[in-house]
Amino acid sequence: MSKSVLIVNRKAPYGSSAPREALDVALTCGVFEQPVSLLFLGDAVFQLLKAQQPDAIGQKNLASNLSALPMYDIDQLFVCAESLANNGLDPDDLILPVTLLEKDSVAPLFANHDVVLTF
Amino acid sequence: MIFSIVIQSAPYSRQAAESALRFAQALLDAGHSIHRVFFYADGVQCGNNLASPPQDEINLPQHWQQLASEHQLDLVVCIAAAVKRGVLDQNEAGRYEKSGHNLADGFELSGLGQLAEATLVSDRVITFGG
């Protein structure tokens, strides 16, 4: 039995432990051979920014960990288009290819997954 | 229905951990079953038996212990999240050469695989403090 898992990211990369904990859950579910998708909403779009330099604040680079997701067969990455635009970002600013979602496509994404975990 | 509950926030700072307890009680009262309660991130503090709230405030670890013993609940605390936040069982205290251990009875340290497994066997997984 397998269940699809949607990991919903809502927080900026280094203000809390949530992004790293979300990533650990994504990788664990991947190991359990569950289909995993990630959605980035609100400030979480900053998690995907290129050229992060967190060593200046003693943190590990989240973007380089996220960029390893395709190696774990996790390549369903969704980004809220409005969140990206509101933060003045563009898909070219992101480390991985993503699917942009308009606001009214977010609810169907939730509905299409068996399990939704929010971080 | 079979539920699992994920708790990500610490007691006393936010309402979420207490809401999770009330939700669990409501599920059981309604005849549902709880496959597992998984304590993650700051939620690991729910299993800290050194928490000593004033007498007129809720003692969350104690309430979980009581509910767990009444209903044979599986209370799993994420080991990686717990150890780095100073919630250790006897085994981990030995491993890290600490002078004491503080994981409350009725709670168990284990890995994230327990969360993945819970998503597989539960009809619903509800997150508090996410």
Side-chain angles (χ1 to χ4, degrees), chain A residues 1-3 5 10-11 17-18 20-22 24-25 28-29 32 34 114-119, chain B residues 6 8 40-42 81 84-85 112-117 119-123 125 127 129-130:
Chain A
M1 185 178 62
S2 182
K3 285 190 178 179
V5 178
R10 301 185 58 197
K11 305 219 169 77
S17 62
R20 189 156 292 281
E21 273 145 355
D24 287 344
V25 171
T28 305
C29 290
F32 275 64
Q34 304 189 69
D114 297 314
V115 181
V116 178
L117 297 169
T118 309
F119 294 89
Chain B
V6 184
Q8 295 184 29
Y40 194 36
D42 288 348
K84 72 173 159 189
R85 289 174 174 84
L112 272 179
Q114 298 286 316
L115 173 57
E117 193 265 351
T119 67
L120 287 173
V121 302
S122 305
D123 299 310
V125 179
T127 301

Side-chain angles (χ1 to χ4, degrees), chain A residues 26-49:
Chain A
L27 295 175
T28 305
C29 290
V31 168
F32 275 64
E33 297 185 343
Q34 304 189 69
V36 177
S37 312
L38 278 81
L39 169 65
F40 296 85
L41 285 178
D43 286 352
V45 296
F46 288 107
Q47 292 183 29
L48 292 165
L49 267 191

